[in-house]
Amino acid sequence: MSSRDPHWWRQAVVYQVYPRSFADADGDGLGDLRGLTRRLAHLATLGVDAVWLSPFYPSELADGGYDVADHRDVDPRLGTLEDFEVMVAEAHRLGLKVLVDLVPNHTSHRHPWFQEALRAGPGSPARDRYVFRDGRGARGELPPSDWHSVFGGSAWKRVPDGQWYLHLFAPEQPDLNWDNEEVRADFRTTLRFWADRGVDGFRVDVAHALAKDLTEPLRDLGDLAAGGDEALEGMTPGEHPLYDRDEVHEIYRDWRKILDSYSPPRMAVAEAWVPGERRVLYARPDELGQAFNFEYLRAPWEARTLREVITASLEQARAAGASATWVLSNHDVIRHATRLALPPGTDPDAWLLSGGREPEVDAALGLRRARAATLLMLALPGCAYLYQGEELGLPEVADLPAEALRDPIWEQTGHARKGRDGCRVPLPWTRGGAGSGLGFGFGSADGAPWLPQPEGFSELSVEAQDGADGSTLDLYRAALRIRRGLLSADESLTWLDGEGPGVLHFARPGGWQVVANTGTAPVPLPAGRTLLASAPLGGDGGAVLPPDTTVWLKA
């Protein structure tokens, strides 16, 4: 894949790194940039095309790094700008592109701008960079509206002089006012800052929330006041005061001019939790160019639903002039090696609160389905996003003790939701290290990992799986190697039928076919040479596809 190819991202495989949990070079228990640089060879050997870094900026970690105190620097605990530049240079030497997380909806409350706003007082230009309002009630003692935070509770916090500020997430994350030209100009500078340092693209956090209707009086939302994408249900598209407003696209058209001023153009992908027909608007060529497809992540392991989601996703992407995107895990959701084994209808928050015991999860079934789902995903036309550790088949760590939890959701919901820490547990690199502070090779000195790792991580480590026939790591390496040789410029698939309910079967250009059995009974395979299977095949000569298995065939 040419490093100068302006369309490299269309069918790439991008690996998400959560820096604080990837690799710790200085032994303080927190992953860092030098640790990442030392482990980049693992990603090159895995066969991915790019690495995407979740936030590594200065932060008090009120929300895992998404509370950014300076969008153009590195958290001292994670390294320096020089460390970042060394990492980018090494990634490029290994043939890897680099994407960084951009967090434009809010800053940290420790950001110099917000501290200035607190000092400046009501009506000041400094406060206009954020969303400050007077409260309701006789003495302004009530929030300006009934809007709720995504993390629970009111989306408003009062400051000592009586005004309130908006925070769609944690109180430590005040929302920026994107009607303010100074805010827009500052993020143009941020885009150029990182692009000038060799960054190849950007993942845009909460891309659908920047533009807001802040005209007075603010609209109460009643039953729709709760945060999150569920708030869009029952609302006319583009008319919600906080999410997915039509005006947001003006911002991204402005950004695209900057991204296209580089050679090759910088790519971008939107995190926009909106319905598919609205999501693809962010992916238009004159905007960000790509958007995450969360419908696929949310789909159950069931053939009919998966086919509907895949078909709709491809049609929507094609209409927008974009490539489709596919993802099964990330830093915000239960890992799919566990999620796919949960019985239909399971409340994920209640399950996490039970420590993963109600209901008990069949780990072997979850891993089997995860391997099959991944092989299916990697065969689809478009760009696939992997989350660190899924190549090891890591499960969700659901039994983290309450005293170990760091996600603000835990406290902000009054302990009603445990949060996302279970998918952010530091990676295991070696078999040894439990109890020594090394954290299965995560660290290099005496600092215990910032989240505890379960004993079972030993046999899931890179060391344990490297070269082990049939390991999940071996499957990912083989799939990415074979995929690279099979891809063509034709981003299409043709559905084939005949194997019965529970089976997905399609052909890709170049004479290869994919069959996935989501059902409970084995099915005969069509004729063809087996290129790769997610689990051993049955029957004479491997002519039978067992349940929860995907196979790639060459016709």
Side-chain angles (χ1 to χ4, degrees):
M1 186 176 297
S2 170
S3 63
R4 307 299 297 176
D5 179 6
H7 304 296
W8 66 268
W9 47 270
R10 291 190 65 92
Q11 298 194 78
V13 176
V14 181
Y15 184 102
Q16 180 190 357
V17 164
Y18 191 75
R20 292 164 176 83
S21 296
F22 191 71
D24 172 21
D26 62 12
D28 65 354
L30 204 63
D32 47 45
L33 293 181
R34 287 192 292 122
L36 168 58
T37 302
R38 293 178 184 179
R39 296 292 190 181
L40 283 174
H42 168 71
L43 304 185
T45 302
L46 187 62
V48 301
D49 300 299
V51 55
W52 148 36
L53 278 68
S54 289
F56 50 87
Y57 314 112
S59 170
E60 66 175 316
L61 303 183
D63 181 23
Y66 283 87
D67 48 313
V68 179
D70 186 342
H71 292 83
R72 298 192 288 272
D73 204 353
V74 174
D75 191 311
R77 291 165 293 183
L78 273 65
T80 65
L81 276 173
E82 182 181 2
D83 291 330
F84 178 84
E85 290 167 353
V86 169
M87 183 275 298
V88 172
E90 177 63 5
H92 287 167
R93 186 188 72 80
L94 292 168
L96 299 169
K97 304 287 189 181
V98 177
L99 282 61
V100 299
D101 229 310
L102 198 66
V103 187
N105 179 69
H106 46 261
T107 71
S108 166
H109 67 154
R110 294 185 176 182
H111 191 287
W113 273 6
F114 192 73
Q115 291 300 307
E116 180 187 357
L118 293 180
R119 294 190 301 270
S124 64
R127 285 211 173 174
D128 189 59
R129 298 176 184 137
Y130 293 90
V131 183
F132 279 87
R133 290 293 185 274
D134 293 328
R136 297 187 293 191
R139 297 173 300 280
E141 72 277 11
L142 300 176
S145 72
D146 66 356
W147 300 345
H148 287 186
S149 161
V150 174
F151 291 163
S154 174
W156 296 95
K157 181 176 175 63
R158 201 175 194 190
V159 299
D161 60 34
Q163 278 205 313
W164 300 72
Y165 69 86
L166 179 69
H167 60 90
L168 291 185
F169 295 89
E172 296 87 352
Q173 296 168 288
D175 278 47
L176 288 164
N177 172 21
W178 275 84
D179 289 335
N180 184 298
E181 178 54 35
E182 194 174 358
V183 170
R184 297 192 180 212
D186 191 70
F187 272 89
R188 294 185 194 108
T189 300
T190 296
L191 285 170
R192 294 188 181 99
F193 181 89
W194 294 112
D196 288 345
R197 280 159 179 78
V199 163
D200 302 285
F202 300 87
R203 178 262 190 188
V204 183
D205 184 62
V206 200
H208 59 306
L210 274 58
K212 300 176 177 69
D213 178 8
L214 300 173
T215 55
E216 299 287 354
L218 299 177
R219 283 188 280 161
D220 278 345
L221 291 171
D223 292 340
L224 297 176
D229 57 318
E230 295 85 358
L232 295 172
E233 297 177 6
M235 184 74 71
T236 302
E239 288 300 316
H240 194 285
L242 303 175
Y243 300 112
D244 192 36
R245 294 191 59 77
D246 292 335
E247 305 95 281
V248 77
H249 299 288
E250 300 171 9
I251 297 169
Y252 300 131
R253 283 191 286 270
D254 180 50
W255 286 11
R256 176 45 57 190
K257 296 172 185 176
I258 295 172
L259 300 175
D260 283 349
S261 70
Y262 290 85
S263 180
R266 292 347 188 205
M267 63 83 68
V269 56
E271 182 210 26
W273 291 84
V274 299
E277 65 276 7
R278 296 286 297 181
R279 182 191 70 243
V280 294
L281 300 180
Y282 297 80
R284 289 178 290 193
D286 66 339
E287 294 191 33
L288 295 178
Q290 199 173 74
F292 284 124
N293 176 8
F294 294 118
E295 282 89 341
Y296 185 75
L297 182 150
R298 289 168 158 172
W301 181 240
E302 189 273 316
R304 181 179 58 82
T305 303
L306 284 167
R307 178 165 174 166
E308 291 173 354
V309 167
I310 291 168
T311 299
S313 299
L314 291 172
E315 290 175 350
Q316 290 161 355
R318 192 177 304 115
S323 62
T325 64
W326 314 102
V327 60
L328 284 164
S329 284
N330 62 36
H331 65 291
D332 283 332
V333 299
I334 293 173
R335 286 185 175 275
H336 69 283
T338 297
R339 189 179 70 246
L340 293 177
L342 291 173
T346 298
D347 180 338
D349 290 320
W351 178 77
L352 286 171
L353 283 172
S354 77
R357 291 182 290 272
E358 298 176 15
E360 293 282 354
V361 172
D362 184 337
L365 174 65
L367 181 56
R368 185 181 182 93
R369 287 180 173 175
R371 288 164 59 104
T374 294
L375 209 56
L376 172 63
M377 176 182 76
L378 291 175
L380 295 171
C383 182
Y385 284 81
L386 310 180
Y387 178 53
Q388 65 175 41
E390 70 170 80
E391 76 276 18
L392 306 176
L394 295 188
E396 184 79 3
V397 183
D399 59 354
L400 289 170
E403 61 270 18
L405 299 178
R406 297 292 181 267
D407 193 331
I409 289 175
W410 175 242
E411 294 295 341
Q412 206 160 322
T413 62
H415 301 175
R417 293 170 57 198
K418 202 169 183 180
R420 302 157 293 177
D421 289 318
C423 66
R424 300 175 178 184
V425 174
L427 296 191
W429 294 94
T430 63
R431 278 193 171 99
S436 70
L438 298 181
F440 302 113
F442 169 72
S444 60
D446 297 326
W450 68 283
L451 286 172
Q453 301 156 301
E455 291 293 331
F457 269 23
S458 175
E459 291 308 307
L460 295 175
S461 65
V462 175
E463 180 185 38
Q465 296 194 47
D466 187 20
D469 187 38
S471 70
T472 300
L473 178 58
D474 182 67
L475 175 70
Y476 270 73
R477 287 173 174 171
L480 295 179
R481 182 182 68 253
I482 295 169
R483 179 185 187 271
R484 191 181 294 267
L486 291 172
L487 287 182
S488 71
D490 187 345
E491 298 175 25
S492 66
L493 62 75
T494 302
W495 290 109
L496 304 172
D497 297 305
E499 285 75 20
V503 177
L504 289 163
H505 184 189
F506 58 84
R508 293 294 316 277
W512 61 300
Q513 296 182 22
V514 179
V515 189
N517 184 2
T518 71
T520 58
V523 297
L525 276 173
R529 176 171 58 90
T530 297
L531 299 175
L532 188 63
S534 63
L537 302 177
D540 293 336
V544 174
L545 185 66
D548 301 317
T549 305
T550 299
V551 65
W552 294 357
L553 301 171
K554 189 71 171 179

